[in-house]
């Protein structure tokens, strides 16, 4: 990574709270990109469903009779009524029934019945399926794409970041703890905070104890002033000597996940980041995922899952809280400063900030967003 070597402005402050700018970003990013909305394990059986809000759109995510994931806009094709009101459930008899006039649809979206209605002579049921949404899976995660014709496949969207964790058996892991938090900040504020460690020395003392590199306010040894021998060009963070994972003491009583090599486990943590709805933090003994969804110009929802191989949580019930404690503390610490950041951006005097060399990744994020905004009217 090349550090910034000249004064560089941030995005305009108004971009973090202006409703019109928020609407532009929904169209440019959230309504066009692949967005993570959950895990396949959230749909154990055909007919199970959950609702997912992506930007301004509410979706129904389910499994069809063959077990394939499906996603639809939560809208009846008759006169546009909402189909589902409960956040999750199961479609009785494998039918999605509109609560208004009882039009019913199959789990694959096809219109099955229009009860008690005299149909026009030219009406064809096959012309009125539910509004389908593109859906695909990776590593057990469910991604949707609201674009009619996605610009890329999910695999292309994930790119090289997915290879960072390819030896972790993500698809077979199960969530043993899920925590949902809503922060009073714009989605970009949280993503920017995740993308830099300039704040780490003052905000994350426990994490810096586990990750000594973070005390310098940088994310990689390539940017470190005190790179250890043999670390030239090594972009991976490393836990402190004698530590193996991210817990408050750097140790674990959980079995190591099978699949990663010793070299994979050596850093203690590996990241895979997918702008802007998901990042995965893989450790030798557990995996933590953080899903991000905007809930308004100044609100963002975080869903944190702690993932383990099946049966591990049942065999080690006393160690689950210990596994979660550091990650939970980091999210809370980040949440506090993100909300402070959002509050300060509202000052009428603050038009834009300035980036420091350690914040090169923020500059790259800003340039990415600007390029995306140019693609929409």
């Amino acid at each position: 990574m090349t550090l910034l070597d000249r004064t560089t402005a941030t995005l305009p402050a108004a971009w973090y709270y202006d409703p019109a700018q928020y609407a532009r970003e929904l169209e440019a990013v959230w309504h066009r990109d692949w967005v993570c909305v959950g895990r396949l394990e959230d749909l154990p059986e055909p007919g199970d469903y959950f609702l997912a809000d992506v930007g301004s759109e509410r979706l129904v995510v389910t499994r069809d009779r063959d077990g394939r994931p499906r996603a639809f806009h939560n809208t009846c094709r008759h006169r546009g009524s909402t189909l589902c009101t409960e956040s999750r459930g199961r479609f009785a008899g494998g039918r999605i029934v509109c609560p208004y006039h009882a039009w019913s649809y199959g789990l694959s979206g096809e219109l099955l019945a229009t009860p008690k209605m005299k149909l026009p002579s030219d009406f064809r049921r096959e012309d009125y399926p539910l509004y389908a949404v593109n859906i695909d899976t990776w590593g057990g995660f469910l991604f949707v794409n609201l674009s009619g014709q996605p610009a890329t496949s999910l695999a292309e969207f994930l790119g090289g970041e997915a290879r960072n964790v390819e030896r972790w058996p993500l698809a077979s892991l199960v969530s043993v703890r899920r925590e949902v938090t809503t922060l009073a900040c714009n989605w970009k504020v949280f993503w920017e905070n995740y993308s830099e460690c300039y704040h780490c020395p003052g905000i994350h003392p426990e994490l810096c104890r586990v990750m000594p590199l973070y005390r310098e306010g940088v994310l990689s040894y390539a940017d470190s002033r005190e790179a250890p021998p043999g670390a030239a060009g090594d972009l991976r963070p490393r836990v402190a000597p004698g530590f193996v994972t991210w817990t408050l003491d750097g140790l674990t009583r959980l079995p190591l996940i099978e699949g990663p090599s010793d070299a994979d486990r050596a850093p203690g943590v590996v990241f895979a980041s997918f702008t802007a709805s998901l990042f995965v933090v893989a450790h030798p003994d557990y995996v933590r995922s953080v899903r991000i969804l905007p809930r308004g110009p100044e609100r963002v929802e975080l869903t944190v899952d702690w993932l383990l191989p099946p049966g591990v949580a049942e065999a080690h019930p006393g160690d689950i809280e210990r596994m979660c404690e550091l990650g939970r503390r980091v999210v809370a610490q980040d949440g506090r400063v993100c909300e402070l950041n959002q509050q300060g951006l509202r000052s009428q005097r603050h038009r834009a900030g300035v980036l420091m060399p350690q914040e090169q990744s923020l500059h790259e994020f800003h340039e990415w967003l600007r390029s995306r905004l140019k693609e929409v009217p």
Side-chain angles (χ1 to χ4, degrees):
M1 181 184 296
T2 301
L3 297 183
L4 294 170
D5 59 3
R6 68 181 189 279
T7 300
T8 303
T10 65
L11 297 175
W15 282 24
Y16 295 85
Y17 55 81
D18 177 61
Q21 176 62 26
Y22 175 71
R24 287 184 66 212
E25 292 172 5
L26 291 186
E27 291 304 314
V29 176
W30 298 93
H31 292 173
R32 299 178 69 200
D33 279 349
W34 289 97
V35 175
C36 186
V37 293
R39 296 270 301 166
L40 195 56
E41 64 185 285
D42 295 328
L43 303 170
E45 300 292 339
D48 292 339
Y49 79 89
F50 65 85
L51 301 184
D53 291 344
V54 177
S56 60
E57 299 298 312
R58 171 155 283 198
L59 311 179
V60 179
V61 184
T62 188
R63 280 195 199 234
D64 65 20
R65 293 184 181 277
D66 295 324
R68 293 174 298 185
R70 300 275 188 165
F72 309 101
H73 289 270
N74 190 16
T75 299
C76 180
R77 289 298 304 272
H78 174 213
R79 279 166 48 195
S81 172
T82 290
L83 293 167
C84 303
T85 57
E86 298 296 325
S87 61
R88 61 180 57 249
R90 181 173 178 80
F91 293 120
R95 289 195 170 204
I96 304 170
V97 181
C98 177
Y100 195 0
H101 298 99
W103 281 33
S104 64
Y105 304 84
L107 298 178
S108 299
E110 69 278 15
L111 178 60
L112 298 176
T114 57
K116 300 180 182 179
M117 285 193 174
K118 182 178 180 180
L119 300 177
S121 59
D122 62 347
F123 183 88
R124 301 192 317 158
R125 287 179 182 170
E126 57 265 34
D127 292 338
Y128 295 92
L130 293 178
Y131 298 110
V133 174
N134 303 287
I135 188 167
D136 204 348
T137 63
W138 167 81
F141 294 97
L142 288 163
F143 286 79
V144 298
N145 188 303
L146 294 174
S147 172
Q149 294 183 325
T152 65
S153 67
L154 176 59
E156 291 169 328
F157 173 80
L158 298 172
E161 285 291 304
R163 291 194 291 272
N164 294 352
V165 291
E166 63 184 353
R167 283 182 288 278
W168 270 263
L170 298 178
S172 65
L173 302 183
V174 296
S175 176
V176 300
R177 182 71 59 84
R178 173 173 291 177
E179 297 179 0
V180 180
T181 303
T182 300
L183 301 179
C185 69
N186 183 271
W187 69 271
K188 298 188 297 298
V189 168
F190 183 81
W191 193 265
E192 290 169 354
N193 179 83
Y194 165 70
S195 301
E196 53 91 354
C197 212
Y198 188 28
H199 70 282
C200 290
I203 305 302
H204 301 308
E206 301 89 354
L207 181 58
C208 287
R209 179 173 178 268
V210 177
M211 301 289 291
L213 172 67
Y214 288 179
R215 294 171 184 159
E216 296 183 40
V218 297
L219 286 169
S220 73
Y221 281 110
D223 301 334
S224 173
R225 296 184 301 273
E226 301 177 4
D234 188 347
L235 303 181
R236 300 175 304 167
R238 296 178 185 272
V239 291
F243 288 12
V244 296
T245 191
W246 278 23
T247 56
L248 288 176
D249 63 4
L251 304 177
T252 184
R253 292 191 288 264
L254 298 174
L256 300 185
I257 295 175
E258 295 183 6
S261 67
D262 289 342
D264 294 324
R265 295 172 178 146
V269 58
V270 177
F271 294 90
S273 308
F274 309 105
T275 314
S277 70
L278 174 70
F279 62 85
V280 176
V281 190
H283 303 283
D285 55 333
Y286 71 95
V287 173
R288 182 169 57 95
S289 68
V290 180
R291 290 188 277 121
I292 302 155
L293 285 172
R295 292 294 183 241
E298 298 182 84
R299 296 184 73 80
V300 64
E301 181 183 275
L302 309 179
T303 301
V304 184
D305 281 293
W306 281 266
L307 307 171
L308 288 173
V312 171
E314 292 78 4
H316 299 266
D319 295 319
I320 302 306
E321 184 63 25
R322 185 171 182 273
M323 173 190 70
C324 298
E325 190 172 0
L326 179 57
R328 182 185 298 120
R329 191 171 301 190
V330 169
V331 169
Q333 292 164 340
D334 282 334
R336 175 179 176 274
V337 293
C338 285
E339 292 184 335
L340 291 175
N341 194 172
Q342 184 71 34
Q343 293 165 17
L345 287 165
R346 277 284 190 170
S347 169
Q348 64 179 359
R349 294 289 301 276
H350 186 76
R351 303 297 177 85
V354 59
L355 297 176
M356 294 294 100
Q358 296 98 312
E359 297 168 320
Q360 169 69 28
S361 57
L362 270 67
H363 175 64
E364 294 170 357
F365 169 63
H366 294 169
E367 291 302 295
W368 168 83
L369 180 59
R370 287 188 173 101
S371 69
R372 300 306 303 275
L373 290 168
K374 289 178 182 178
E375 298 175 9
V376 297

